[in-house]
Amino acid sequence: MLEPAFQADVVVVGAGVAGLSAAHRLTRAGVTTTVLEAAPCAGGRMATEKVDGFRLDRIGQLLFTSYPELRLAPGLDALALRLFAPGVLLHSDGRRQRAGAPAGGGSARGALHAVRALASAPRVAPPARGRVAVPRPGSGSPRGLAAVPRQAAVPRGRAGAPLGGAVDQARLGAALARIGSMPVERLLARPELPAGQALSERGLPARTIDGFVRPLLAALLCDPDLTTSSRCADLALRAFAGGRMGLPEGGAEALPELLARTLPPGTVRTGVQVTSVATTSVTTAEHGEFRCRAVLLATDARTAAELLPGLRVPDFHPVTVVHHTTDDPPQTGASLLLDADRGGPVAHTAVVSAVDPTRAPQGRALISSTVLGVPPTDVDTAVRMHLARLYGTSTARWETLAVHHTAEAVPAMRPPHDLRRPVRLMAGLYVCGDHRDTSSVQGALHSGRRASAAILADLGAGSMHGAEPTPTPRAA
């Protein structure tokens, strides 16, 4: 029972996915929890803007069915992912080629045979895209699987561009199969270098590294220069090789909205600006002081450091997302398209409405393109020119819906990077977020799990309520 002076056992500052997932674990353990959010709605950087029936993500965050926390985090049972076509589509020298799709067999030998067959077979349409709900542990087949029409065939370039011939493609397939099944502990035991420097030691041809691995990692890490820790890059490749890329149905905000909606009524309070924190209280600008037994800071890294001077603020990777619409979309299907030549500002692009039809009005296509690093001065014009080459069609009549620039979109993870930064600062004061784990939705969710476990242990709630112990590191 709460002492009369306490208004909650735990106050969580910040209603992003890390804080919301921690709140779920705390409330499940019987700990009364209040989540305070300064913004008008929950979600943090997982925000979606609505414009004329379109749903436009501010940061194009890619999710993977292989993320463990999407299955393990309470509150996400009803999360539905819309899946991209397997692998990615690479553009090089005016040609497009699919790469990184599962080769079958789950082994290097299976990858070798499948890729050899692919190299000599005619191009066919990619598999049907669909809606898949992430399965819970022990639940069997995915829930909510709904087939949708097959996509149009994607033109295939001449053999050997941009990945080389059948042997090079087989080596790539085998390498992806290995890393997709490699234990996390083994990946984390590798020497740590900047990701770009470590690529030469991965045993792949230079053409494959430059034409596939570099643009893929840049997209996954939001790091065009690949200064990220090689261990984090390996974990990103493992997630790619071990699962399918997808987007939350209805926009990025669907994930935090689901977490907030499934908490007990009144748990999340928006529009509340926190001005100071202590181990037993939180002071707000609008509602005075909230008394509690513990405080969890679940804000972005900069806000956390403003409330607790001394916390390290990492560097950040800026991200710009440009959204266009047209009634005559490119025929690339539900594919993520990468520029292997890196011949313009666009790192990756997709006809997002082909992946998730709920994001655009009927009869209109939504094309979302991501620019990494500092954008050019006239970003829309530069992006249109680049997209015309990537898609092989005129973009002059495309309508620009929005240009979203986020200067501090993704915390940098340069080596040496601590994949499990402490979440317990002292008894009664804790911190979580993607800046404490890996800079991904998986990392944010997992940091919330670690923080809630530490709080429950300190409050003595673990033995009373069956709280989960701190887990071993998982892929992020």
Side-chain angles (χ1 to χ4, degrees), residues 18 31 62 125 129 135 162 177 210 252 305 320 360 365 439:
V31 175
L62 301 169
R129 59 180 171 83
D210 291 336
T320 305
S439 302

Side-chain angles (χ1 to χ4, degrees), residues 14-23 43-44 46 252 255-257 259 298 440-442 444-445 448:
V17 294
L20 292 171
S21 65
M46 294 195 74
L255 193 155
E257 280 187 350
L259 287 172
S440 64
V441 173
Q442 161 67 16
L445 291 170

Side-chain angles (χ1 to χ4, degrees), residues 1-9 32 280 291-293 459:
M1 296 179 62
L2 295 177
E3 297 180 17
F6 292 137
Q7 294 165 268
D9 284 316
T32 60
T280 57
R291 302 272 306 162
C292 56
R293 298 171 62 196
L459 295 183

Side-chain angles (χ1 to χ4, degrees), residues 42-87:
R45 282 167 289 162
M46 294 195 74
T48 303
E49 182 183 15
K50 285 86 169 178
V51 176
D52 298 332
F54 293 92
R55 294 175 174 267
L56 314 176
D57 286 352
R58 290 191 171 273
I59 302 176
Q61 292 175 303
L62 301 169
L63 303 183
F64 289 92
T65 57
S66 52
Y67 279 167
E69 288 299 328
L70 293 183
R71 302 187 304 273
L72 301 175
L76 292 182
D77 299 74
L79 177 66
L81 294 183
R82 289 281 186 166
L83 301 180
F84 286 90

Side-chain angles (χ1 to χ4, degrees), residues 58 161 166 275 282 323 421:
R58 290 191 171 273
T275 57
V282 168
H323 299 282
R421 295 188 66 201

Side-chain angles (χ1 to χ4, degrees), residues 10-363:
V10 179
V11 172
V12 178
V13 182
V17 294
L20 292 171
S21 65
H24 266 279
R25 295 185 182 279
L26 293 170
T27 56
R28 282 199 348 174
V31 175
T32 60
T33 304
T34 295
V35 182
L36 305 180
E37 170 57 50
C41 58
R45 282 167 289 162
M46 294 195 74
T48 303
E49 182 183 15
K50 285 86 169 178
V51 176
D52 298 332
F54 293 92
R55 294 175 174 267
L56 314 176
D57 286 352
R58 290 191 171 273
I59 302 176
Q61 292 175 303
L62 301 169
L63 303 183
F64 289 92
T65 57
S66 52
Y67 279 167
E69 288 299 328
L70 293 183
R71 302 187 304 273
L72 301 175
L76 292 182
D77 299 74
L79 177 66
L81 294 183
R82 289 281 186 166
L83 301 180
F84 286 90
V88 296
L89 203 59
L90 295 173
H91 179 276
S92 178
D93 194 24
R95 300 184 293 273
R96 292 196 291 266
Q97 181 179 7
R98 186 165 300 282
S107 66
R109 179 172 295 182
L112 177 64
H113 291 309
V115 175
R116 281 177 175 168
L118 178 64
S120 59
R123 171 62 73 191
V124 297
R129 59 180 171 83
R131 175 182 183 275
V132 58
V134 180
R136 314 300 289 182
S139 64
S141 61
R143 298 167 290 101
L145 186 63
V148 294
R150 289 185 178 272
Q151 301 301 303
V154 176
R156 184 184 181 183
R158 296 197 304 267
L163 290 182
V167 173
D168 286 344
Q169 293 182 53
R171 291 172 69 181
L172 172 62
L176 289 175
R178 284 195 301 270
I179 199 168
S181 59
M182 188 177 295
V184 172
E185 294 75 13
R186 184 174 168 188
L187 282 181
L188 299 183
R190 289 178 170 182
E192 188 178 23
L193 297 167
Q197 182 180 341
L199 288 180
S200 59
E201 303 177 9
R202 294 299 182 251
L204 291 171
R207 184 171 188 170
T208 301
I209 290 175
D210 291 336
F212 172 72
V213 183
R214 283 185 180 277
L216 175 65
L217 281 178
L220 300 184
L221 303 171
C222 295
D223 176 11
D225 299 323
L226 296 188
T227 59
T228 297
S229 162
S230 57
R231 293 174 180 172
C232 299
D234 284 343
L235 290 174
L237 283 176
R238 185 179 188 272
F240 172 83
R244 288 276 297 278
M245 282 188 297
L247 300 171
E249 184 179 75
E253 69 177 11
L255 193 155
E257 280 187 350
L258 179 60
L259 287 172
R261 188 169 62 247
T262 50
L263 283 167
T267 299
V268 180
R269 305 187 187 187
T270 58
V272 180
Q273 180 69 48
V274 173
T275 57
S276 66
V277 298
T279 55
T280 57
S281 67
V282 168
T283 303
T284 69
E286 299 85 357
H287 305 287
E289 187 179 47
F290 284 76
R291 302 272 306 162
C292 56
R293 298 171 62 196
V295 174
L296 171 59
L297 268 181
T299 65
D300 62 90
R302 189 170 300 281
T303 302
E306 291 171 354
L307 292 171
L308 283 179
L311 285 182
R312 183 181 70 88
V313 179
D315 294 330
F316 294 89
H317 297 302
V319 172
T320 305
V321 181
V322 184
H323 299 282
H324 293 104
T325 182
T326 177
D327 56 4
D328 185 20
Q331 297 303 304
T332 53
S335 300
L336 187 71
L337 175 59
L338 307 180
D339 183 10
D341 297 331
R342 298 187 292 281
V346 176
H348 59 90
T349 181
V351 183
V352 171
S353 54
V355 183
D356 179 9
T358 68
R359 297 187 181 219
Q362 188 172 6

